[in-house]
Amino acid sequence: MTHRIALIPGDGIGIPVLEAAMRVAEKASPGLLVAESFPWSCDHYLQTGRMMPEDGIETLRGFDAIFLGAVGWPEKVPDAVSLHGLLLPIRKAFVQYANIRPHRLLPGVQGPLRKDAFDILCIRENTEGEYSGAGGRVHQGTGDEVAVETAIFTRTGVERILRFGFEQAMGRSKRLASVTKSNAQKYSMVFWDEVTRELAAEFPEVQVSHYHVDAIAARMVMAPETLDVVVASNLFGDILTDLGAAIQGGLGFAASANIDPTGKSPSMFEPVHGSAPDIAHLGTANPIAAMWSLVMMLEHLGEGETAARIMRAVEATTARGIGTVPGRDKTDEITAAVLSALEE
């Protein structure tokens, strides 16, 4: 079986890390992934006035999965334009409501904490909440200017992401942490807590803990080994997963999946690190996050054996100290080491 993959290298370091990951995919299983590349990026926006064509979503719909390198180049295009012109429309159009980000230390990687025995799976609601885009500005440019940003939480959206989290917890240690700020946000976050308690009754085997977002941020630093599956809203999940990337050694190791659990639409996989324009010309971008995202994509496509082989090769590479220190090793050197480990 082969899988049709839409590649969107995007901007900055997204281009070389995606290329590196695809080299690894081809080495591990030649011909398994049949890829078509699309030049949608900030440069594309400057040339056409759009981050992707009007029919971009329909074009992507025919693929089995989407592999994104990175998007954004603030000096060229404001982030609010690039994000709302490409990444967010894809997530929403394909109802990729589960954003999954694993946080653990790879062999040979030293994180900033004294703790190292942690394995956290952060699940972030991905289509509504604080990133719904509901709001506006009036009296712009005057002293009376007003800006309103409304977070939208639907029962459908909250229930499905929490249910997904409970299902993931059932396959792991049966521990789930639900994240809110219900002491301050007495409508949306109290609602989230209520839905969590309702669903907990359906999963009596799962031990549920309720955390305020500031408290769990502290716990991720002080006692990360006490956490397993963490479920949070779009904004809180976004922030917590950057913290998760920090404790696992940096953004160069942070992988993610944007999943439509129903399988009706293609899911999208991407490293968390963004386009990093400041280092794009140095050739030192760490491709491991992209390779780990590739592993998640292969698992989603049912190619668990190939995914496991690639993950073992990545871990063998970091165990040798290659790719473990940000900026020290070249992208090509790390890639060559992973390719070599695949032959062992």
Side-chain angles (χ1 to χ4, degrees):
M1 179 180 291
T2 60
H3 305 279
R4 294 186 66 233
I5 307 300
L7 299 182
I8 308 177
D11 299 297
I13 65 171
I15 298 169
V17 300
L18 210 65
E19 179 185 0
M22 291 305 295
R23 288 177 61 194
V24 168
E26 183 62 18
K27 178 76 172 182
S29 185
L32 179 64
L33 302 181
V34 178
E36 182 176 349
S37 188
F38 298 91
W40 305 340
S41 61
C42 287
D43 282 339
H44 184 80
Y45 177 85
L46 294 175
Q47 295 167 11
T48 67
R50 299 181 64 93
M51 290 297 296
M52 63 177 170
E54 287 188 32
D55 63 351
I57 294 297
E58 290 309 309
T59 298
L60 295 174
R61 195 178 298 278
F63 288 87
D64 297 315
I66 304 161
F67 199 6
L68 175 68
V71 61
W73 200 294
E75 290 185 0
K76 299 179 180 180
V77 178
D79 281 341
V81 172
S82 59
L83 185 67
H84 286 272
L86 184 62
L87 185 61
L88 294 187
I90 292 173
R91 287 176 174 173
K92 292 177 181 179
F94 295 136
V95 200
Q96 297 168 348
Y97 65 81
N99 183 274
I100 308 170
R101 300 186 181 185
H103 302 297
R104 62 180 175 87
L105 285 171
L106 295 177
V109 177
Q110 184 172 355
L113 305 182
R114 287 175 292 180
K115 311 278 187 174
D116 57 13
F118 59 86
D119 184 357
I120 302 171
L121 186 69
C122 278
I123 298 172
R124 163 191 171 192
E125 201 291 314
N126 211 31
T127 58
E128 55 176 46
E130 304 89 347
Y131 293 0
S132 297
R137 293 169 64 179
V138 296
H139 309 304
Q140 287 183 250
T142 74
D144 297 319
E145 186 166 359
V146 177
V148 176
E149 192 89 30
T150 303
I152 304 294
F153 290 88
T154 66
R155 177 167 287 276
T156 295
V158 174
E159 183 174 304
R160 69 190 179 189
I161 193 63
L162 284 165
R163 187 178 297 279
F164 184 82
F166 274 102
E167 291 168 351
Q168 297 303 303
M170 286 294 292
R172 289 168 60 97
S173 71
K174 296 181 176 150
R175 289 180 293 134
L176 180 139
S178 177
V179 181
T180 65
K181 188 62 176 170
S182 52
N183 58 340
Q185 295 175 286
K186 64 180 183 177
Y187 301 117
S188 61
M189 295 288 95
V190 169
F191 171 57
W192 182 290
D193 284 344
E194 290 172 354
V195 176
T196 303
R197 286 191 289 270
E198 290 171 10
L199 285 177
E202 298 181 25
F203 296 89
E205 297 176 69
V206 176
Q207 177 186 341
V208 181
S209 301
H210 297 263
Y211 290 94
H212 291 150
V213 64
D214 43 354
I216 202 169
R219 181 167 286 270
M220 286 179 70
V221 173
M222 300 300 294
E225 75 283 358
T226 65
L227 299 170
D228 188 3
V229 175
V230 175
V231 187
S233 69
N234 216 332
L235 175 61
F236 292 168
D238 194 358
I239 295 168
L240 290 175
T241 51
D242 268 18
L243 177 56
I247 67 173
Q248 73 181 123
L251 287 169
F253 306 105
S256 78
N258 303 275
I259 300 293
D260 167 17
T262 70
K264 295 178 181 177
S265 300
S267 294
M268 179 167 60
F269 303 82
E270 56 169 326
V272 175
H273 52 57
S275 61
D278 56 326
I279 66 166
H281 62 291
L282 299 179
T284 58
N286 192 336
I288 289 177
M291 294 176 187
W292 198 340
S293 300
L294 167 69
V295 167
M296 297 177 77
M297 180 170 70
L298 289 168
E299 290 172 341
H300 178 74
L301 293 171
E303 303 292 346
E305 183 177 342
T306 301
R309 281 189 61 216
I310 293 173
M311 200 68 220
R312 286 195 297 269
V314 168
E315 291 174 340
T317 297
T318 59
R320 297 186 180 106
I322 302 171
T324 58
V325 178
R328 185 186 62 189
D329 302 315
K330 296 289 188 181
T331 308
D332 289 344
E333 294 169 348
I334 300 169
T335 306
V338 175
L339 292 171
S340 178
L342 279 170
E343 298 176 349
E344 298 174 1

